[in-house]
Amino acid sequence: MKESAFKSVKDLPATHVLGSGTPACAGCGALEGIKIFCDILGDKTVFVNAAGCMTLLTVYPFTPFRGSWIYTAMASAPAGAQGVRDALDLLIRKGRLKPKDDLKVVVLTGDGSAYGMGLSSTSAAIYRELDFIYICYDNEGYGNTGYQFSAATPHAARTATSKGVGGYWGYKKDLFSIWAAHRPTYVATVVGTEPLDMARKIEKAKDLKGSKLFIVLSPCPTGWRFEPAETIEVGKLAVKTGAWPLKEYINGKVVHTKIPLPRGKRPLVEEYLKRQGRFAHLFSPTRNEEVLEEIQARVDAYWEGVV
Amino acid sequence: MIRKLLTGNGAAAWGARLAKIDYVPAFPITPQTEIIETIAHWIDKGQMDCRMITMDSEHSMITAAGAAAATGVRVFTATSSQGFLYGMEMIYTVAGWRAPFVLVNVSRGLSAPITLEPDHNDVLAARDSGFLQIHCATCQEVLDSVLFAYRLGEDERVRLPVIVNLDGFYLSFTREPVEIPDDKKVDRFLPPYDPEETHFRAGDPISQGVVVLGGSQYSYFRYETHLASLNALVVFEEVSIEFKELFGRSYQPVEAYRTEDAEIIFFMMGSFATKAKDAVDCLRSVGRKVGLLRPRLFRPFPVKAIIRVLEGKKGVAVIDQNLSMGKGGVLHAELCSALYGVADSPPILVSFIGGLGGRDIIREEFYEMAAVTMKAIERGETPPPRLLYTTEEMMRMKGLQSIARVEQLKREEKR
Ligand SMILES: Cc1ncc(C[n+]2csc(CCOP(=O)(O)OP(=O)(O)O)c2C)c(N)n1
Ligand code: SF4
Ligand SMILES: [Mg+2]
């Protein structure tokens, strides 16, 4: 494997491909992630989007993207990517498009689509070894419709449809493993607040053939309820506490790209939870020790299995 | 040119082959399967230079079809019934992309209850989608309509996807002699697809299906699509002349059969119209002045062509092979709105529902419909809509119901 061009944060592109002035909320972690993708993928791209917050990036007659864009529907962005990829290949093979005018096909969907409604079309695309990049910006809920829980919502989080004392009853679905079980070319978890890790992964995967899939944890001030200025800190805590493992799947193996400090030395998950209004009911009026312990135990158990 | 015995499905596949399609996203459903099987077979044998891909659903299939068309290749796909409805979200969406391709729908009644046999509720669910719709009555028409459809949809004044509809079983599996047009002539009629500016390529970015802010912008794009659909009426006439010159067959947006001196007209779509033709001949032989008018083009709705035929007629028997629950026949409502307020239009439009789930409409029922319409004309009063169903059918149904009841009693006894 060739060495990364990104040795330190200073090596990351200084000028951005994605334009500014989008309708996304201030401090949107999803947008931070997408910016890094655009910087590294360049402008020879066509983004195939599913319904979600990022659909509002292109509002007629403006687009922040330098490349092309097609909005499909909530369930079928990977199918749209299949159509575009196949058509580009056909045009090149039949001499109707110059190979230099080829594009990278990039699916962009939220977690609601990726973890749920879009799973069938995604599974089918991976199984067909579709040559594409999938960016799932994971804000852990149906953000665009007012932040209801999705299959990506973490346990106990309060959302518009889990306002009860316990918050969300469910547990976040393990999409990384579901995707990896398809044995695609590449799967990674990333977060925009770890730009170096993210840039290296995109760089490594982008020119490989086949399905390259990314789950981008996307701190969402509006849904998670924290101040927009705190996005970076929240994202960093997700990694430091071990709540969001950074890893990749390649050549049949899962490798963790950033291992938090050992148990006892790393900050408790509650440091991460405390920063978010969606978990406030776990801390006041009284601490919900039981749930906090359960969440911590799950994270600890995860890392015990890794190290 | 060769002549072959082809099923409606075979004719649809031949249409796709002659159109030199680039791409076929597919998903199987009875009674459409023969179309995609035939194309797959031709691709395997190297007789078509085309990529076929089986998707995970019709929703995905129509997404891929639209996305590939938007990228600039010629796309064909086919479905039926449940599959058609499963993809409905995308049927509306891809029309908004203004991405032309051809979708053959093999009509089949919708669940529940389940049937494999045809009626038109599936395809009519796409009535307001922006897709053009051509409805076929013969296998020859199926093949020709696929070629026609590409010319219509790809025309720069239209740029819309097109549905070519044929009835399951009655056409899909019925063999008829079909003229397969000469390859070279088809190439003259249908040159390769030129997407002009509207496709994805590096250095020339475009955005498709974007958000608009507010009703004004939204209305603009919706009106544009509507007007583009109406343009297809003009394009149809032009294409029709060319088609006649090259292949000798003439197609109008409506088929008028023995209508000129007719007083009463049967008005219906699809292959069952051939049954109406037969009834017209019989009624004519006993001196009844009856004719048939069959819209081939359903979207855009060829209002002018319909008025031209129906002007001065005394009455119309509209036979709907569909049912809008709580309202009645869709075609009847369409015709009423097209004729209302038009001078000299027929004062009597009688509504009949028949042929649901492939139920036959026999000759005698056509006689009866003509008689009912005649009586209505004489009285100057339109009777309520009629659901075609005979006493014998009702008896058979009651028989089945009593068997069901006995079976249930037996089960209860066992418990
Ligand atoms: C078929 C369908 N059902 C529901 C919706 C409504 N809808 C629009 S965006 C959205 C939420 C999508 O959630 P996610 O994929 O997580 O993206 P986010 O909004 O969080 O960015 C929903 C439910 C839709 N557009 N289409
Ligand atoms: S709701 Fe969250 S994900 Fe959506 S735009 Fe706002 S901050 Fe970003
Ligand atoms: Mg979301």
Side-chain angles (χ1 to χ4, degrees):
Chain A
M1 181 114 320
K2 71 174 193 286
E3 219 181 298
S4 173
F6 306 119
K7 295 202 178 59
S8 79
V9 185
K10 276 183 253 143
D11 299 324
L12 296 175
T15 54
H16 297 300
V17 172
L18 194 74
S20 53
T22 68
C25 314
C28 173
L31 199 60
E32 280 311 306
I34 294 166
K35 263 186 201 151
I36 300 171
F37 272 95
C38 288
D39 286 345
I40 295 165
L41 297 177
D43 57 5
K44 287 189 175 185
T45 52
V46 47
F47 274 75
V48 186
N49 175 237
C53 287
M54 296 305 128
T55 301
L56 292 160
L57 290 180
T58 57
V59 179
Y60 186 81
F62 304 109
T63 174
F65 291 93
R66 298 262 186 88
S68 287
W69 171 272
I70 183 167
Y71 166 75
T72 53
M74 193 166 165
S76 60
Q82 182 81 47
V84 174
R85 182 66 266 157
D86 285 343
L88 289 168
D89 288 344
L90 284 161
L91 289 171
I92 291 170
R93 179 164 70 70
K94 296 187 177 183
R96 280 141 61 189
L97 183 77
K98 296 190 195 92
K100 73 168 178 53
D101 287 338
D102 192 15
L103 301 167
K104 284 199 190 309
V105 181
V106 185
V107 163
L108 176 66
T109 85
D111 51 283
S113 177
Y115 284 69
M117 201 190 274
L119 204 44
S120 167
S121 65
T122 309
S123 170
I126 304 172
Y127 143 83
R128 288 187 303 259
E129 299 179 6
L130 178 64
D131 187 13
F132 78 128
I133 294 165
Y134 191 141
I135 307 170
C136 162
Y137 62 94
D138 184 355
N139 61 2
E140 306 190 317
Y142 299 124
N144 193 234
T145 39
Y147 208 70
Q148 299 80 13
F149 68 78
S150 77
T153 301
H155 186 57
R158 275 211 171 133
T159 68
T161 43
S162 56
K163 287 184 176 162
V165 279
Y168 177 48
W169 48 267
Y171 295 85
K172 191 177 176 78
K173 195 189 268 186
D174 184 1
L175 185 64
F176 180 92
S177 299
I178 293 169
W179 277 357
H182 291 72
R183 306 192 154 272
T185 302
Y186 189 79
V187 191
T189 57
V190 293
V191 57
T193 53
E194 301 290 340
L196 197 58
D197 175 78
M198 188 163 165
R200 282 179 180 158
K201 286 173 174 166
I202 302 168
E203 184 201 28
K204 182 193 273 184
K206 73 179 167 92
D207 295 320
L208 301 175
K209 267 245 161 272
S211 307
K212 288 87 61 180
L213 315 156
F214 294 85
I215 309 172
V216 188
L217 183 71
S218 301
C220 163
T222 313
W224 298 12
R225 285 187 281 132
F226 59 81
E227 286 303 314
E230 290 174 22
T231 301
I232 308 246
E233 228 166 312
V234 170
K236 286 207 172 286
L237 277 169
V239 176
K240 268 192 203 149
T241 58
W244 184 247
L246 294 174
K247 53 187 169 179
E248 63 187 3
Y249 165 94
I250 186 165
N251 299 327
K253 272 204 226 71
V254 176
V255 177
H256 285 77
T257 53
K258 195 158 191 165
I259 295 180
L261 294 171
R263 188 172 159 180
K265 293 205 173 122
R266 66 171 172 257
L268 293 174
V269 183
E270 63 175 79
E271 296 306 317
Y272 169 56
L273 306 183
K274 255 188 221 158
R275 310 297 287 255
Q276 308 169 47
R278 61 177 175 159
F279 294 110
H281 58 290
L282 299 182
F283 301 98
S284 76
T286 53
R287 276 177 66 90
N288 190 335
E289 290 300 348
E290 199 186 327
V291 171
L292 286 169
E293 271 167 30
E294 188 201 343
I295 293 172
Q296 185 64 51
R298 279 176 181 264
V299 170
D300 292 342
Y302 177 88
W303 288 107
E304 251 152 54
V306 172
V307 194
Chain B
M1 196 261 307
I2 38 169
R3 252 175 112 79
K4 254 192 169 162
L5 268 181
L6 287 184
T7 60
N9 280 345
W14 263 105
R17 175 171 166 169
L18 289 167
K20 301 214 164 54
I21 53 164
D22 296 302
Y23 190 50
V24 189
F27 195 87
I29 180 166
T30 304
Q32 152 268 32
T33 40
E34 186 191 356
I35 300 175
I36 59 171
E37 287 167 4
T38 306
I39 293 175
H41 182 61
W42 285 335
I43 294 172
D44 287 343
K45 286 205 298 186
Q47 289 168 329
M48 281 178 80
D49 181 17
C50 154
R51 175 163 163 76
M52 181 161 149
I53 184 152
T54 301
M55 303 298 290
D56 59 299
S57 72
E58 291 83 358
H59 188 280
S60 286
M61 176 184 94
I62 295 166
T63 308
T71 310
V73 297
R74 185 171 281 159
V75 181
F76 176 87
T77 189
T79 187
S80 173
S81 183
Q82 304 305 120
F84 190 78
L85 260 73
Y86 196 82
M88 190 55 77
E89 180 189 21
M90 297 320 292
I91 287 183
Y92 276 71
T93 304
V94 298
W97 295 351
R98 306 292 303 275
F101 66 93
V102 173
L103 184 158
V104 167
N105 183 60
V106 187
S107 261
R108 164 180 153 189
L110 293 169
S111 179
I114 306 166
T115 183
L116 297 176
E117 293 202 51
D119 65 41
H120 298 153
N121 265 109
D122 58 355
V123 64
L124 291 180
R127 185 187 65 173
D128 309 330
S129 65
F131 266 78
L132 311 185
Q133 288 195 21
I134 301 176
H135 288 245
C136 303
T138 67
C139 295
Q140 182 72 59
E141 206 180 341
V142 171
L143 190 157
D144 293 345
S145 294
V146 171
L147 302 177
F148 237 83
Y150 281 107
R151 275 295 298 274
L152 284 182
E154 289 175 4
D155 192 285
E156 57 178 11
R157 291 163 288 180
V158 180
R159 286 291 151 107
L160 285 170
V162 188
I163 292 163
V164 173
N165 200 70
L166 61 131
D167 292 324
F169 291 81
Y170 284 85
L171 267 196
S172 69
F173 299 147
T174 303
R175 270 173 210 283
E176 291 176 352
V178 174
E179 277 187 17
I180 298 174
D182 180 63
D183 209 38
K184 296 273 167 323
K185 274 197 197 166
V186 174
D187 290 348
R188 260 165 63 203
F189 177 73
L190 185 65
Y193 174 42
D194 176 10
E196 292 174 42
E197 271 72 58
T198 53
H199 68 123
F200 301 122
R201 102 176 77 97
D204 194 6
I206 56 166
S207 299
Q208 275 278 22
V210 300
V211 179
V212 291
L213 289 182
S216 169
Q217 291 178 31
Y218 182 77
S219 301
Y220 174 85
F221 288 109
R222 301 298 283 180
Y223 291 163
E224 280 268 289
T225 306
H226 170 61
L227 296 173
S229 177
L230 291 178
N231 284 345
L233 289 168
V234 179
V235 179
F236 195 101
E237 309 235 323
E238 297 170 10
V239 173
S240 177
I241 294 167
E242 258 184 74
F243 195 89
K244 171 105 200 286
E245 273 168 13
L246 278 164
F247 307 110
R249 286 182 295 280
S250 171
Y251 289 107
Q252 299 308 314
V254 294
E255 185 198 12
Y257 182 70
R258 304 186 80 167
T259 54
E260 236 146 68
D261 63 335
E263 291 172 347
I264 293 179
I265 303 285
F266 291 128
F267 188 75
M268 66 189 300
M269 292 200 295
S271 64
F272 273 46
T274 56
K275 294 172 189 283
K277 259 190 190 174
D278 165 68
V280 165
D281 289 341
C282 294
L283 286 164
R284 284 271 175 183
S285 70
V286 295
R288 297 279 150 74
K289 289 189 170 169
V290 182
L292 163 74
L293 185 62
R294 174 176 70 90
R296 293 186 67 236
L297 201 56
F298 177 68
R299 278 295 177 273
F301 200 54
V303 173
K304 275 195 191 139
I306 289 169
I307 290 176
R308 224 174 288 137
V309 175
L310 294 186
E311 249 172 1
K313 305 299 181 207
K314 292 185 175 159
V316 182
V318 184
I319 305 160
D320 266 291
Q321 206 176 350
N322 67 75
L323 183 52
S324 172
M325 312 297 172
K327 172 63 174 74
V330 172
L331 204 53
H332 181 257
E334 294 268 322
L335 188 64
C336 289
S337 76
L339 295 181
Y340 189 82
V342 174
D344 215 16
S345 66
I348 298 289
L349 305 179
V350 192
S351 170
F352 299 94
I353 310 291
L356 299 189
R359 178 205 179 270
D360 199 7
I361 303 178
I362 58 171
R363 212 180 265 160
E364 287 71 19
E365 286 178 308
F366 282 101
Y367 301 165
E368 174 71 10
M369 288 188 275
V372 167
T373 307
M374 198 38 123
K375 205 177 281 167
I377 294 166
E378 280 159 13
R379 289 200 189 144
E381 202 180 295
T382 304
R386 286 270 285 265
L387 312 174
L388 299 189
Y389 213 64
T390 60
T391 315
E392 293 86 83
E393 281 176 288
M394 194 54 105
M395 301 277 282
R396 276 200 300 277
M397 198 60 221
K398 293 256 187 272
L400 293 176
Q401 282 171 337
S402 47
I403 294 171
R405 222 164 292 131
V406 170
E407 290 297 311
Q408 193 181 349
L409 285 176
K410 275 196 221 155
R411 266 200 309 277
E412 275 166 19
E413 259 166 39
K414 264 188 209 147
R415 256 187 249 133

